[in-house]
């Protein structure tokens, strides 16, 4: 799977309260959630993000609450992939389970700047920075996780394998 | 708090919960970790779950705790030292003479906040104190030759009550360094510190006193059982007479849910677990995390206060 979009940069320890504040958790509807995505970290994010765009962040992205609304809101924004130096564990699982592509790469996290055009080959884990003409390699997912991602999330995977 | 109270978690159990604070039950020597809702639904539907065996980090706590210092202060101190990503995807193990003597409620508080250091789970080796709380289960011991990716040793004899400042649980300072911070609200409750022992400590400080007229004091017992016990012991009367409000067991304002949502510019001291930006309300509000004694003392003075200033 190939993805392409403009980078939006965030720092370390972006937490799930910032990704989707609890005041909007009275719904699970992605069509409503996306409007408030990253609202408390960058209030203009939802209005400027375009389909295919990529979030690039530092360490421990998605720390805090186990709310699945967080990756759901990011996906519903049109974000095609999140690249971070590291992810908080529950966010990592949630993203794979709901079918939001994520990649771990310290070099990519540091080298990619806001508005850089980025191209990703998910199968190979290769991240290309088109603007800077650089290339980075992300850590590969274990096989069983790749199957969940390929199926489009855990629910679809289970339906297909039961 | 409800699950162990109902006897549903035993030492040696494997617990998967759709709440990040599921790690709390490591206090009973269970392997207990949080997941998201789809993950948990899949466990319910298939009876299966994938888990990677994490590396372990050992924490050894030595020394004697000062008065007004407990589990909350030890865990805040620890997160302050290792950072909010200091244990990402790791199993934490709390041990040493301080833990051996630590009451069950304080153990729950410490384990509750392992996730705030990024921990996958946390284990306290079950012992005599555990067996008073729960009789059944498998009391596993740590292997003598166990391999740890890191070992931290802390002497906490000089530890003062700790406070995490906005906007990260790892931004920790001694309470005495924050005397100039005025507060609008004090919240005593949550899965971190809404237990009977927390309410008793708060009541000791508030007994016969009035809270500052600028401050809202909100007390939420963690469960119905704790609520009833606090009622019978007269603790709720002490809170009411001091000028506090008591709410029905729930998460309350901890995650900005209800009853105590912060307005723009407001400052809250809370016995909860997270002080992220906008966690309890307005993006421009400020949350400080502390133990129940500090939260009660601060409600009286209207600023962040060491309990020794009151008693």
């Amino acid at each position: 799977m190939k993805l392409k979009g403009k980078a939006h940069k965030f720092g370390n320890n972006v937490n799930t309260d910032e990704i989707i504040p609890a005041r909007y958790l009275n719904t699970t509807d992605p069509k409503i959630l996306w409007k408030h995505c990253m609202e408390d970290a960058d209030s203009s994010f939802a209005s400027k993000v375009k389909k295919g765009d990529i979030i690039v962040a530092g360490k421990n992205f998605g720390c805090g609450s186990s709310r699945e609304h967080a990756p759901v809101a990011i996906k519903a924004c049109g974000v095609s992939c999140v690249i971070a130096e590291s992810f908080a564990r529950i966010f990592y699982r949630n993203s794979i389970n709901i079918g939001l592509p994520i990649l771990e790469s310290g070099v990519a996290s540091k080298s990619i700047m806001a508005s850089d055009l980025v191209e990703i080959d998910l199968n190979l884990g290769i991240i290309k920075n088109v603007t800077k003409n650089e290339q980075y390699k992300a850590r590969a997912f274990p096989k069983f996780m790749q199957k969940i991602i390929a199926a489009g999330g855990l629910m679809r995977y289970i339906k297909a394998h039961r | 708090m409800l699950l162990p109270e109902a006897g549903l978690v035993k030492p040696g159990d494997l617990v998967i919960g759709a709440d990040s604070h599921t790690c709390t039950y490591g206090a009973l020597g269970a392997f207990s970790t949080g997941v998201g809702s789809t993950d948990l639904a899949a466990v319910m539907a298939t009876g299966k779950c994938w888990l990677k065996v994490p590396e372990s980090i050992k924490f050894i706590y030595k020394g004697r705790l000062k008065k007004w210092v407990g589990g909350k202060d030890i865990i805040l101190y620890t997160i302050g030292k290792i950072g909010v990503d200091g244990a990402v995807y790791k199993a934490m193990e709390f041990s040493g003479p301080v833990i051996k003597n630590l009451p069950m409620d304080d153990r729950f508080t410490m384990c509750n906040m392992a996730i705030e250091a990024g921990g996958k789970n946390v284990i306290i080796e079950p012992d005599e104190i555990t067996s008073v709380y729960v009789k059944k289960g498998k009391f596993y011991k740590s292997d003598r030759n166990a391999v740890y990716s890191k070992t931290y040793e802390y002497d906490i004899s000089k530890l003062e009550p700790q406070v995490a400042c906005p906007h990260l649980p790892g931004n920790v300072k001694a309470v005495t360094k924050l005397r100039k911070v005025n507060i609008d609200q004090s919240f005593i409750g949550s899965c971190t510190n809404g237990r009977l022992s927390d309410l008793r400590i708060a009541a000791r400080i508030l007994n016969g006193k009035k809270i500052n007229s600028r401050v809202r004091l909100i007390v939420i017992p963690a469960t119905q059982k704790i609520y009833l016990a606090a009622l019978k012991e007269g603790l709720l009367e002490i809170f009411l007479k001091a000028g506090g409000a008591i709410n029905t067991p729930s998460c309350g304002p901890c995650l900005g849910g209800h009853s105590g949502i912060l307005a723009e510019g407001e400052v809250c001291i809370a016995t909860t677990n997270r002080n992220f930006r906008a966690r309890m309300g307005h993006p421009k509000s400020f949350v400080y995390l502390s133990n129940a004694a500090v939260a009660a003392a601060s409600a009286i003075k209207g600023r962040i206060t060491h309990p020794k200033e009151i008693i």
Side-chain angles (χ1 to χ4, degrees):
Chain A
M1 191 156 55
K2 296 218 169 146
L3 313 166
K4 192 173 182 179
K6 213 176 75 176
H8 297 262
K9 279 278 269 194
F10 291 91
N12 293 329
N13 303 315
V14 172
N15 62 75
T16 51
D17 279 279
E18 286 174 310
I19 297 170
I20 187 75
R23 56 185 178 274
Y24 304 119
L25 297 189
N26 49 2
T27 178
T28 52
D29 185 353
K31 287 191 218 88
I32 300 170
L33 289 173
W34 80 267
K35 291 178 194 161
H36 305 290
C37 185
M38 305 304 265
E39 188 171 287
D40 291 337
D42 174 2
S43 56
S44 63
F45 179 78
S47 59
K48 67 187 178 196
V49 68
K50 298 211 165 59
K51 195 168 165 43
D53 280 1
I54 287 154
I55 288 179
V56 180
K59 288 191 285 185
N60 201 23
F61 187 86
C63 63
S65 155
S66 62
R67 65 189 67 156
E68 209 169 71
H69 309 66
V72 167
I74 292 176
K75 193 182 175 189
C77 270
V79 169
S80 64
C81 183
V82 182
I83 300 169
E85 189 177 336
S86 64
F87 289 93
R89 182 190 144 262
I90 303 178
F91 182 89
Y92 182 96
R93 289 183 75 110
N94 283 347
S95 300
I96 289 163
N97 288 343
I98 64 113
L100 171 69
I102 55 170
L103 289 174
E104 248 182 25
S105 165
V107 186
S109 156
K110 285 188 183 75
S111 309
I112 299 170
M113 291 298 146
S115 298
D116 281 358
L117 186 65
V118 179
E119 231 177 61
I120 295 167
D121 187 320
L122 259 194
N123 299 341
L124 300 175
I126 289 171
I127 304 162
K128 260 189 206 165
N129 187 334
V130 179
T131 309
K132 283 187 166 170
N133 197 22
E134 290 176 350
Q135 190 165 305
Y136 329 102
K137 185 98 176 74
R139 202 175 300 166
F141 287 104
K143 278 241 162 64
F144 78 96
M145 237 186 261
Q146 285 184 20
K147 283 184 192 164
I148 299 174
I149 296 165
L154 187 60
M155 292 232 265
R156 287 189 188 170
Y157 175 81
I158 286 174
K159 272 184 193 159
H161 288 83
R162 62 186 313 176
Chain B
M1 199 49 230
L2 204 57
L3 263 63
E5 188 188 88
L8 293 171
V9 179
K10 300 185 301 299
D13 279 357
L14 169 66
V15 186
I16 310 285
D19 187 297
S20 60
H21 292 108
T22 304
C23 55
T24 307
Y25 316 135
L28 291 170
F31 183 97
S32 192
T33 191
V35 296
S37 37
T38 299
D39 235 338
L40 192 72
V43 177
M44 287 170 170
T46 65
K48 288 182 194 163
C49 184
W50 68 268
L51 292 167
K52 191 170 105 182
V53 177
E55 291 183 330
S56 297
I57 307 179
K58 190 172 192 169
F59 296 84
I60 305 165
Y61 299 96
K62 291 183 172 169
R64 284 190 67 171
L65 290 177
K66 279 179 150 182
K67 200 175 178 188
W68 307 116
V69 175
K72 182 61 164 284
D73 307 290
I74 306 172
I75 189 62
L76 287 178
Y77 176 76
T78 306
I79 300 166
K81 285 282 176 196
I82 67 168
V84 290
D85 64 345
V88 167
Y89 228 109
K90 300 281 198 294
M92 302 165 85
E93 185 177 328
F94 296 151
S95 63
V98 172
I99 305 299
K100 271 279 160 210
N101 294 309
L102 201 66
M104 206 57 234
D105 279 3
D106 289 76
R107 293 180 181 189
F108 280 125
T109 300
M110 279 190 75
C111 293
N112 174 272
M113 288 190 72
I115 182 71
E116 267 58 70
K120 173 173 193 164
N121 76 302
V122 54
I123 289 273
I124 291 178
E125 194 177 276
D127 57 14
E128 299 75 35
I129 290 176
T130 323
S131 69
V132 173
Y133 189 89
V134 57
K135 293 273 179 273
K136 292 176 186 168
K138 283 185 185 151
F139 285 55
Y140 291 112
K141 298 275 174 205
S142 299
D143 294 333
R144 281 175 183 271
N145 58 352
V147 178
Y148 296 94
S149 64
K150 271 182 188 162
T151 301
Y152 296 96
E153 197 172 310
Y154 301 122
D155 185 331
I156 50 173
S157 301
K158 288 181 181 153
L159 193 70
E160 292 287 340
Q162 301 285 295
V163 178
C165 304
H167 293 285
L168 272 185
N171 190 11
V172 176
K173 292 185 176 139
V175 65
T176 41
K177 293 197 172 142
L178 299 164
R179 298 189 62 201
K180 288 181 181 156
V181 179
N182 288 324
I183 60 158
D184 302 287
Q185 178 171 297
S186 170
F187 169 43
I188 298 169
S190 85
C191 58
T192 315
N193 285 111
R195 299 187 179 82
L196 193 57
S197 56
D198 299 307
L199 303 186
R200 282 178 183 151
I201 290 169
R204 250 179 84 193
I205 288 165
L206 288 159
N207 195 7
K209 307 271 196 323
K210 287 273 180 210
I211 61 167
N212 188 290
S213 58
R214 287 186 295 104
V215 173
R216 304 184 295 268
L217 169 65
I218 296 163
V219 181
I220 305 189
T223 65
Q224 296 279 81
K225 204 170 165 183
I226 295 168
Y227 194 120
L228 187 61
L231 180 73
K232 284 183 178 163
E233 279 187 30
L235 308 180
L236 302 188
E237 192 176 328
I238 292 170
F239 299 141
L240 284 170
K241 282 182 175 167
I246 297 144
N247 281 332
T248 195
S250 71
C251 298
C254 172
L255 78 166
H258 61 89
S259 309
I261 310 294
L262 302 178
E264 183 174 354
E266 282 197 326
V267 178
C268 178
I269 190 152
T271 66
T272 55
N273 42 57
R274 290 185 183 134
N275 56 351
F276 299 142
R277 194 185 310 278
R279 170 80 177 172
M280 290 183 73
H282 198 280
K284 284 179 186 151
S285 60
F286 304 88
V287 180
Y288 292 80
L289 308 175
S290 76
N291 69 29
V294 171
S298 304
I300 295 169
K301 289 279 186 187
R303 58 168 172 81
I304 294 181
T305 303
H306 193 304
K308 71 183 177 190
E309 287 189 50
I310 307 293
I311 309 188

